[in-house]
Amino acid sequence: MTIEVLSEKKREDGEFAHLLEDAELSLNDNLVPLWLLADPRVFDLENQKLWSRVWSFLAHESEIPQPGDYVVRNIGTYDSVILIRDEEGTVHALSNICAHRGMRICRADLGNTSHFRCPYHGWTYSSEGKLIGIPYRTVAYADEPILEKYSEGLKRIRIDTYNGFIFGSLDGDIEPLSSFLGDFRWYLDLVSKRTPEGLIFYPPLRHVSNFNWKIAAENFACDSYHVKTTHRWAISTQTISDKPFGGVQVAINGHAINCNITEGNPRTPIRYPEFWPQLTELSEKNLAPGQFTVLKKTMTLFGNVFPNLSFINTSQGNVPFLTFRTWKPIAPDKTEFCTWFAVEKEAPEDFKKKSYAYYIQQHGIAGAFEVDDVEIWKYITANSRSNEARKVKLNCDVGFHTRSKVADWPGPGKVAGHPNEMAAVEFWKKVLEHLRN
Ligand code: FES
Ligand SMILES: [Fe+2]
């Protein structure tokens, strides 16, 4: 690079740093610059500074129950990770990069295997990622102890689990998962620890659409305000209630959960009387009293584990269901979403079938709610690429002026009444904290 090009780049970097600083300041007024959503420079910075430094959800243990079972998942846009259970039952997370010349070792989404053979030159790795075979070894390397030299095999990715959820991180020095989740574990328990045996995850559905991952994560972090408009059909068909907004939003360190509360509702996330009457008793034993109290009066739970694991559990509609999803960034304006149906192991088989069918209908990739939301997210993302986007700031003021108080809330975190966009501001603060440090 010439000196002129270098100094031009330095000037542009300085301008961009200033824009990010301005974005962070605007959060003090509950405003988010629209350009921040799908700007290619933000996308690059997220790959450098966000995805490389967080715990990302990879899989649930129930997806790989047998020795040799594996799934292939991503951290951020580019890092492909193989999660495999070895013969002894230990789960390993292996970087999907061949130690020889960088080929992707495994291109399947899931399966069962005793080893992985690279499709390029055939280097072969055990289920623990150790290099165990090199074709034509003496022809290629003579007496060179090549197996010993590459004995480490595939690089290991750090993993940790909570309630069967396996998270991975590219950062060897990252804080433990327990402190990354912190007090949010209290809320994650509400959807994953209601029974002694916990959840099973069904194989996920995947779909790619033209929106930025942050608008989806932020929607799950906070947005009950849109439901009565975007999903108006659901009120017309009495799938959901038209009662006034009621509930509690909680934000903890970028993570968020929303408990939509309707007192006197016959169904709650721990009470499906017509499908599974024993659930209430199991939950009361398995949860702390405060958690049980919250679930007793909640109708719908939804939220987002920072950065990109969202969930919704609703007992509205015909059959209750629980779903988790990740938003994998593919491009500034393109996201692959991976959506899982989950249910407690102890649930009756008949309920599992009905619940799965209802999930597909409502929140599968062509689910009635899902397509409504994606349509909105696509147009916001497209607008964020416009020239006019520089002048627009997203308003996150809902709930700020009403200052509704939440009394006697038994859980931790920053709490606000519904509807509210406090958790959106907290989400964006966390994003900017990563981008600016
Ligand atoms: S790149 Fe994998 S064996 Fe050569
Ligand atoms: Fe929605």
Side-chain angles (χ1 to χ4, degrees):
M1 273 194 219
T2 63
I3 290 176
E4 288 78 20
V5 173
L6 274 173
S7 67
E8 175 63 9
K9 182 159 181 339
K10 207 169 163 193
R11 190 186 60 76
E12 282 174 7
D13 288 351
E15 267 179 23
F16 184 52
H18 187 69
L19 281 174
L20 289 176
E21 187 185 348
D22 179 60
E24 199 165 44
L25 285 173
S26 69
L27 287 175
N28 295 331
D29 298 320
N30 300 336
L31 295 170
V32 181
L34 177 55
W35 65 269
L36 206 54
L37 204 60
D39 187 295
R41 292 169 299 178
V42 172
F43 179 80
D44 289 343
L45 208 54
E46 283 168 0
N47 276 303
Q48 283 168 37
K49 294 187 154 190
L50 191 149
W51 300 110
S52 59
R53 300 196 302 204
V54 290
W55 283 104
S56 295
F57 174 72
L58 292 174
H60 189 267
E61 281 177 347
S62 61
E63 293 183 83
I64 44 172
Q66 303 299 328
D69 283 352
Y70 70 87
V71 291
V72 176
R73 299 279 153 78
N74 255 54
I75 296 179
T77 307
Y78 301 112
D79 287 88
S80 176
V81 180
I82 304 170
L83 269 184
I84 182 160
R85 193 177 289 279
D86 71 16
E87 291 301 315
E88 275 71 51
T90 306
V91 175
H92 302 273
L94 310 168
S95 176
N96 201 356
I97 302 175
C98 181
H100 178 219
R101 300 279 299 279
M103 176 57 191
R104 189 156 290 188
I105 294 290
C106 180
R107 289 162 298 151
D109 285 340
L110 54 88
N112 183 285
T113 190
S114 57
H115 63 276
F116 294 101
R117 179 166 293 130
C118 178
Y120 201 0
H121 312 93
W123 282 29
T124 302
Y125 303 88
S126 72
S127 56
E128 291 167 32
K130 291 200 180 111
L131 183 62
I132 51 173
I134 295 182
Y136 308 105
R137 185 156 55 91
T138 48
V139 175
Y141 298 101
D143 294 332
E144 177 73 5
I146 195 78
L147 264 175
E148 290 74 15
K149 200 166 164 185
Y150 285 89
S151 62
E152 186 199 352
L154 301 175
K155 300 272 182 242
R156 308 296 190 278
I157 304 292
R158 195 171 157 193
I159 49 172
D160 204 347
T161 63
Y162 185 70
N163 288 352
F165 291 67
I166 307 171
F167 289 81
S169 180
L170 303 174
D171 181 355
D173 297 323
I174 194 171
E175 62 188 318
L177 179 64
S178 55
S179 67
F180 179 81
L181 294 174
D183 283 343
F184 198 71
R185 288 172 296 174
W186 197 93
Y187 296 101
L188 207 47
D189 288 352
L190 302 183
V191 283
S192 58
K193 205 187 156 194
R194 298 194 286 234
T195 66
E197 292 190 45
L199 296 174
I200 40 172
F201 272 44
Y202 285 35
L205 307 170
R206 293 192 305 154
H207 186 60
V208 174
S209 193
N210 295 326
F211 61 84
N212 180 271
W213 71 275
K214 296 187 289 301
I215 194 70
E218 185 226 60
N219 173 282
F220 274 80
C222 80
D223 210 313
S224 60
Y225 185 42
H226 80 288
V227 175
K228 293 182 199 299
T229 317
T230 305
H231 309 297
R232 187 74 201 167
W233 64 268
I235 292 171
S236 316
T237 56
Q238 295 175 342
T239 305
I240 61 171
S241 141
D242 196 17
K243 292 205 173 119
F245 296 98
V248 174
Q249 182 172 95
V250 184
I252 297 177
N253 208 19
H255 315 301
I257 191 166
N258 299 267
C259 306
N260 285 352
I261 290 171
T262 308
E263 301 281 356
N265 182 46
R267 281 203 213 125
T268 73
I270 49 159
R271 189 160 185 273
Y272 305 152
E274 68 275 55
F275 302 106
W276 186 14
Q278 298 81 4
L279 177 61
T280 313
E281 199 184 319
L282 284 170
S283 303
E284 186 162 20
K285 280 193 195 137
N286 222 48
L287 293 166
Q291 292 171 316
F292 187 73
T293 305
V294 168
L295 284 184
K296 244 190 332 199
K297 54 186 178 185
T298 297
M299 191 164 58
T300 299
L301 288 161
F302 65 92
N304 186 60
V305 181
F306 188 85
N308 68 334
L309 172 65
S310 296
F311 56 89
I312 180 165
N313 179 203
T314 180
S315 57
Q316 296 198 75
N318 293 337
V319 190
F321 64 88
L322 168 63
T323 169
F324 292 86
R325 64 264 329 279
T326 52
W327 316 106
K328 171 180 145 190
I330 291 180
D333 54 4
K334 197 175 277 193
T335 295
E336 179 188 273
F337 51 113
C338 190
T339 142
W340 291 262
F341 169 77
V343 66
E344 280 78 9
K345 276 187 198 142
E346 298 93 331
E349 287 309 309
D350 187 49
F351 171 66
K352 286 177 181 164
K353 277 188 198 144
K354 285 182 179 149
S355 183
Y356 180 72
Y358 204 65
Y359 145 77
I360 292 285
Q361 200 184 90
Q362 304 296 330
H363 266 286
I365 53 175
F369 284 91
E370 206 80 359
V371 292
D372 292 342
D373 289 324
V374 167
E375 191 70 358
I376 301 281
W377 301 338
K378 274 167 29 185
Y379 282 98
I380 297 174
T381 300
N383 279 344
S384 88
R385 302 294 297 267
S386 69
N387 290 318
E388 285 294 296
R390 302 268 157 206
K391 303 174 195 160
V392 177
K393 292 194 174 178
L394 311 177
N395 175 297
C396 296
D397 241 4
V398 168
F400 184 74
H401 301 281
T402 60
R403 296 182 190 279
S404 54
K405 295 268 182 297
V406 178
D408 303 325
W409 184 251
K414 195 170 172 183
V415 175
H418 261 218
N420 218 298
E421 287 169 347
M422 172 270 290
V425 175
E426 297 297 316
F427 170 83
W428 281 102
K429 276 186 188 164
K430 202 72 198 165
V431 170
L432 279 162
E433 188 184 309
H434 280 281
L435 300 189
R436 295 202 65 225
N437 290 303

